[in-house]
C-alpha cells in the first residue's frame, strides 16, 4: 500500500530519475483510488495522467466512491483505454480488438461488462446510474435539510462574522432541542458539527461564538478543528473526536469523560459542538446528531450530510441539517463566491448566490448522491455548474486557452512536460514547515522554521491570540501542548525537544506579510 503522492512522479517527474520507482510500483501493482471525486478540479488532470499510465503498464484500476460524476468516470476510462492500447501493442497484441473488463458495484449488486470503446462505456455506466437513482429515493431519509438566512447589517467583514455567529448560535440551540440524548437524570447532550469552508473565517466566527453567552441552564462546549494545529495536537483532538462521534452503541456516550463531567455540572443541557473545515468530512467516520454547513459546492453538501446519523440510522422527524443560504464570500458581496473551495470562476458564474434561488426545495430537503451522479438535473444550479466545469476541464476543448486533461492522450504531448507544468498535483501557494519546539518541561513553546539542513531557527511572526469565553461556554477539548508532548516522550522514550521537533510540525502557507496568530484552542490562523 502506498500514497498517491508516491506514485505521481510516474507521470509528473520530468528530470532526475524520480519517476523510476513510481513506474516500477505501478507496473507491479493495481491502482485503487479512494474518493477520486474529492480532489480539487485542478488536481484531476494529474489523476487522469496517472490512470493513463496505469493502463499503459497493464495495471488494473479501482475507483471507490458513491458520488462519481459522469464526466470524471468517462475521462478516467478514456485515459485508461488509450494507455491499454499502448500496452497491447507493446505485448504484441495490437491486432486484438480492444476489450476492457469493467464492473460496477453498489449495495444492490454488481454489473460486469466487457467494454470496447467510449460509447459503450457511457451506455453501460448510464444504465448502472439509472438503476441506482431508482433505488436511492427508497432509502431512509436520515438527513432532513433546511436553509438558514443570515442577515448582516452590511457586507463588511465584522458585520458578516457577527451575523454568522448569531445565526449559528440560534440554530445550534434549536437543533439541540430536537436532536439530543437524555440521561436518566434528565440532563441532555447532543453532538453537532459546524462546517465552514476556510480556516480564517472559521476561527473568526468561533471567537465570536465563544463570546456569546449561553441561555440559562445551557452549557456549550466548543472544539475548533482544522489542519493548522501542530501535528501532535491535531492527533490528540482527532482521537477524542473519534471516540465521541462513534455511535454504533449509543449508550456508550454516557461513558465519555466529557459527558461524565457534564453530568456533574449544574446546567441541564449540554451541546458539544465541533467547528471545523473540510477535515470534518474527508476520511472521518463521524455520526453527529445534527450539522450546520456553509455552502461551497454540492459535493461538500453531500459529503457533510453523510456525517449525520451515519451509524445509528435514526430517521428524524424534524430538520437535523442546516445549510446557510449564502457563504462568507457571498455575504461580503464578492462576485465569485462559491470558490476556494468550489467550482465558480470568472468564466463560470452562478446566476445567484442565494441557495433559495440555486436549489429547489427538494434539492436541500433531501441530500443524496443523485445530483453528483446525474448531469443536467433540473432545479440544482450548483450541481449543473460542477458538471459543466468538470466536463470542460477533463474532456471538452471549447476554450482553446484552457488546459484539457484529455490532451495528454489525445495529442502528442508526452514528450514534454508542459501539461505537468500547467496542471501539477496539489498546486498551492508556497508553504513552509514550522515546528512548535519545547526544549524542557516548563519552557514556553516556540515556533521555529525548518531549515534545509534539518536544523531549526526561531521563526518570529507568531503572536498569541487573546480569547474571551462568555458565561455558559467552555472549550470542549482544551489540549495542553506540554502534556501531549510529555506523554509522547514517555511513550516513545525520547527527549522532549526531539519529540517536539518531530510531532510539533505544522505546515503553513507563506507569501503574506500579516503575522500568524496562535491559541492552543484555536490553532494557527490569520486575522480575517
Amino acid at each position: 500500500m502506498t500514497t498517491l503522492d508516491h506514485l505521481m512522479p510516474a507521470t509528473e517527474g520530468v528530470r532526475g530519475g524520480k519517476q523510476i520507482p513510481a513506474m516500477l510500483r505501478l507496473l507491479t501493482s493495481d491502482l485503487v483510488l479512494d474518493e477520486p471525486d474529492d480532489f480539487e478540479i485542478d488536481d484531476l488532470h494529474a489523476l487522469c495522467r496517472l490512470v493513463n499510465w496505469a493502463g499503459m503498464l497493464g495495471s488494473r484500476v479501482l475507483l471507490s466512491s458513491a458520488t462519481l460524476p459522469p464526466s470524471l468516470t468517462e475521462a478516467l476510462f478514456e485515459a485508461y483505454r488509450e494507455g491499454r492500447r499502448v500496452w497491447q501493442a507493446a505485448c504484441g497484441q495490437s491486432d486484438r480488438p480492444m476489450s476492457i473488463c469493467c464492473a460496477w458495484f453498489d449495495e444492490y449488486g454488481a454489473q460486469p461488462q466487457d467494454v470496447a470503446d467510449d460509447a459503450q462505456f457511457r451506455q453501460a455506466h448510464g444504465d448502472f446510474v439509472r438503476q441506482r437513482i431508482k433505488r436511492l429515493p427508497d432509502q431512509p431519509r436520515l438527513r432532513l435539510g433546511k436553509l438558514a438566512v443570515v442577515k448582516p447589517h452590511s457586507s463588511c467583514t465584522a458585520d458578516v462574522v457577527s451575523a454568522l455567529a448569531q445565526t449559528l448560535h440560534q440554530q445550534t440551540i434549536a437543533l439541540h432541542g430536537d436532536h439530543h440524548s437524555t440521561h436518566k437524570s434528565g440532563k441532555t447532550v447532543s453532538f453537532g458539527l459546524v462546517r465552514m469552508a476556510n480556516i480564517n473565517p472559521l476561527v473568526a466566527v468561533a471567537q465570536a461564538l465563544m463570546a456569546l453567552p449561553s441561555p440559562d441552564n445551557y452549557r456549550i462546549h466548543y472544539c475548533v478543528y482544522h489542519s493548522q494545529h501542530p501535528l501532535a495536537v491535531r492527533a490528540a483532538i482527532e482521537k477524542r473526536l473519534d471516540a465521541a462521534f462513534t455511535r454504533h452503541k449509543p449508550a456508550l456516550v454516557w461513558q465519555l469523560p466529557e459527558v461524565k463531567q457534564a453530568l456533574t455540572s449544574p446546567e441541564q443541557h449540554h451541546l458539544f459542538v465541533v467547528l471545523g473545515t473540510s477535515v470534518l468530512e474527508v476520511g472521518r467516520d463521524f455520526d453527529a446528531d445534527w450539522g450546520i454547513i456553509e455552502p461551497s459546492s454540492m459535493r461538500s453538501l453531500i459529503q457533510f450530510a453523510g456525517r449525520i446519523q451515519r451509524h445509528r440510522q435514526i430517521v428524524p422527524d424534524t430538520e437535523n441539517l442546516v445549510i446557510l443560504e449564502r457563504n462568507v464570500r457571498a455575504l461580503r458581496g464578492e462576485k465569485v463566491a462559491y470558490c476556494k473551495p468550489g467550482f465558480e470562476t470568472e468564466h463560470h458564474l452562478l446566476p445567484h448566490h442565494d441557495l433559495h434561488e440555486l436549489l429547489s426545495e427538494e434539492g436541500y430537503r433531501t441530500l443524496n448522491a443523485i445530483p453528483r451522479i446525474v448531469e443536467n438535473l433540473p432545479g440544482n444550479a450548483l450541481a449543473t455548474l460542477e458538471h459543466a466545469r468538470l466536463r470542460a476541464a477533463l474532456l471538452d476543448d471549447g476554450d482553446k486557452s484552457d488546459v484539457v486533461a484529455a490532451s495528454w492522450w489525445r495529442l502528442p504531448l508526452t514528450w514534454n512536460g508542459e501539461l505537468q507544468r500547467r496542471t501539477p498535483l496539489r498546486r498551492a501557494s508556497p508553504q513552509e514547515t514550522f515546528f512548535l519546539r519545547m526544549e524542557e518541561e516548563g519552557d514556553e513553546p516556540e515556533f521555529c522554521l525548518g531549515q534545509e539542513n534539518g536544523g531549526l531557527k526561531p521563526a518570529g511572526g507568531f503572536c498569541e491570540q487573546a480569547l474571551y469565553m462568555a458565561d455558559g461556554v467552555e472549550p470542549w477539548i482544551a489540549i495542553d501542548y506540554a502534556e501531549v508532548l510529555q506523554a509522547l516522550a514517555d511513550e516513545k522514550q525520547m527527549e522532549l525537544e526531539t519529540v517536539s521537533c518531530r510531532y510539533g510540525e505544522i505546515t503553513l502557507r507563506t507569501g503574506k506579510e500579516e503575522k500568524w496568530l496562535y491559541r492552543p484552542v484555536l490553532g494557527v490562523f490569520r486575522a480575517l
Side-chain angles (χ1 to χ4, degrees):
M1 183 178 293
T2 188
T3 64
L4 186 68
D5 296 273
H6 177 78
L7 294 174
M8 198 54 70
T11 57
E12 307 306 281
V14 294
R15 63 180 65 182
K18 294 182 179 179
Q19 70 274 19
I20 295 174
M23 286 182 184
L24 292 175
R25 185 62 185 269
L26 202 57
L27 179 66
T28 56
S29 308
D30 296 328
L31 180 61
V32 178
L33 298 174
D34 186 34
E35 305 286 357
D37 53 312
D38 274 349
F39 283 86
E40 292 299 323
I41 193 168
D42 293 336
D43 293 333
L44 293 176
H45 295 73
L47 198 66
C48 287
R49 293 194 289 267
L50 184 68
V51 170
N52 174 249
W53 271 72
M56 194 179 301
L57 297 175
S59 300
R60 292 170 291 190
V61 175
L62 172 66
L63 309 177
S64 174
S65 176
T67 54
L68 284 171
S71 52
L72 179 58
T73 57
E74 291 171 24
L76 293 176
F77 174 78
E78 185 177 324
Y80 183 82
R81 176 181 53 77
E82 288 303 311
R84 193 78 176 188
R85 190 187 307 280
V86 175
W87 180 81
Q88 284 193 192
C91 295
Q93 301 175 12
S94 55
D95 56 337
R96 288 181 54 187
M98 178 68 64
S99 180
I100 298 173
C101 179
C102 299
W104 291 257
F105 306 88
D106 65 7
E107 61 269 37
Y108 304 110
Q111 175 185 312
Q113 184 172 337
D114 289 334
V115 178
D117 55 38
D118 300 338
Q120 190 178 0
F121 177 84
R122 283 193 296 272
Q123 180 64 42
H125 182 74
D127 291 343
F128 173 79
V129 169
R130 282 186 286 273
Q131 291 299 316
R132 181 159 179 76
I133 62 176
K134 289 179 182 178
R135 292 168 169 150
L136 282 176
D138 296 332
Q139 293 183 351
R141 187 163 68 171
L142 301 175
R143 300 101 197 171
L144 187 58
K146 69 175 182 179
L147 298 182
V149 178
V150 183
K151 295 182 177 180
H153 296 300
S154 71
S155 59
C156 77
T157 299
D159 284 347
V160 168
V161 169
S162 177
L164 274 170
Q166 291 287 347
T167 301
L168 292 175
H169 192 259
Q170 295 165 7
Q171 294 296 332
T172 55
I173 299 297
L175 287 165
H176 174 85
D178 293 330
H179 308 281
H180 60 255
S181 301
T182 304
H183 189 253
K184 59 185 180 182
S185 65
K187 296 198 174 186
T188 66
V189 299
S190 71
F191 292 84
L193 304 174
V194 177
R195 194 271 202 196
M196 295 189 65
N198 301 105
I199 292 174
N200 296 334
L202 167 73
V203 177
V205 171
Q207 293 177 89
L209 272 171
M210 293 176 184
L212 293 175
S214 300
D216 291 341
N217 215 18
Y218 279 79
R219 180 162 289 272
I220 306 179
H221 312 255
Y222 289 112
C223 169
V224 179
Y225 172 48
H226 52 74
S227 62
Q228 289 179 188
H229 285 281
L231 187 61
V233 173
R234 182 174 173 182
I237 292 174
E238 290 175 348
K239 184 178 180 180
R240 293 278 298 275
L241 294 182
D242 287 343
F245 286 93
T246 299
R247 308 291 294 277
H248 296 289
K249 297 180 180 179
L252 293 180
V253 71
W254 306 112
Q255 304 304 316
L256 294 170
E258 50 264 52
V259 174
K260 285 184 176 180
Q261 184 177 357
L263 293 177
T264 64
S265 66
E267 294 86 5
Q268 180 181 359
H269 307 291
H270 291 266
L271 290 73
F272 293 89
V273 183
V274 184
L275 306 166
T277 56
S278 61
V279 294
L280 289 175
E281 63 202 35
V282 179
R284 310 315 306 175
D285 185 19
F286 284 172
D287 176 6
D289 294 303
W290 49 265
I292 306 174
I293 182 171
E294 175 200 7
S296 55
S297 67
M298 203 66 215
R299 178 184 68 190
S300 68
L301 293 179
I302 295 169
Q303 288 287 348
F304 180 78
R307 272 63 194 171
I308 301 172
Q309 286 295 343
R310 187 178 182 88
H311 301 155
R312 292 163 295 167
Q313 305 277 296
I314 300 173
V315 178
D317 296 322
T318 59
E319 293 91 349
N320 57 359
L321 171 63
V322 174
I323 306 168
L324 303 180
E325 63 159 0
R326 298 173 186 263
N327 66 2
V328 170
R329 294 178 189 274
L331 292 169
R332 291 163 64 175
E334 297 183 24
K335 179 182 178 182
V336 182
Y338 291 96
C339 63
K340 297 178 182 179
F343 291 81
E344 192 177 18
T345 69
E346 288 280 357
H347 303 293
H348 297 83
L349 290 171
L350 288 165
H352 308 277
H353 287 145
D354 187 339
L355 287 195
H356 287 100
E357 304 289 340
L358 297 176
L359 300 179
S360 65
E361 183 177 355
E362 186 59 26
Y364 62 80
R365 292 288 287 174
T366 303
L367 284 171
N368 55 32
I370 292 177
R372 285 288 286 171
I373 62 178
V374 177
E375 290 184 337
N376 302 317
L377 194 68
N380 196 319
L382 269 184
T384 299
L385 173 70
E386 294 176 24
H387 289 298
R389 284 283 326 274
L390 284 167
R391 191 162 289 280
L394 300 178
L395 293 167
D396 292 344
D397 53 359
D399 187 346
K400 298 300 182 181
S401 65
D402 288 341
V403 179
V404 179
S407 298
W408 173 260
W409 57 86
R410 290 178 180 174
L411 301 175
L413 296 176
T414 55
W415 58 269
N416 64 39
E418 183 62 16
L419 285 185
Q420 292 94 323
R421 184 185 69 81
R422 293 194 186 187
T423 57
L425 182 71
R426 308 193 202 283
R427 182 201 297 272
S429 303
Q431 296 181 329
E432 287 184 323
T433 300
F434 298 87
F435 295 84
L436 188 51
R437 184 174 65 181
M438 282 188 67
E439 295 185 357
E440 295 180 359
E441 189 175 356
D443 289 348
E444 282 295 322
E446 179 186 25
F447 280 97
C448 295
L449 179 63
Q451 303 295 291
E452 292 184 0
N453 61 2
L456 299 176
K457 71 173 184 179
F462 287 82
C463 298
E464 184 172 354
Q465 172 68 22
L467 180 62
Y468 172 72
M469 293 272 187
D471 293 337
V473 175
E474 68 180 23
W476 173 5
I477 304 175
I479 298 294
D480 187 301
Y481 184 65
E483 289 182 5
V484 171
L485 287 187
Q486 191 59 58
L488 281 171
D490 295 340
E491 176 188 344
K492 300 183 179 298
Q493 297 184 346
M494 297 166 58
E495 295 293 331
L496 191 65
E497 182 179 8
T498 304
V499 170
S500 69
C501 294
R502 180 176 298 180
Y503 299 104
E505 178 181 338
I506 181 170
T507 301
L508 303 171
R509 294 183 180 182
T510 59
K512 291 186 177 181
E513 295 182 359
E514 298 95 334
K515 291 186 177 181
W516 289 107
L517 302 173
Y518 176 66
R519 183 92 181 185
V521 171
L522 302 175
V524 178
F525 61 99
R526 280 195 167 111
L528 187 61

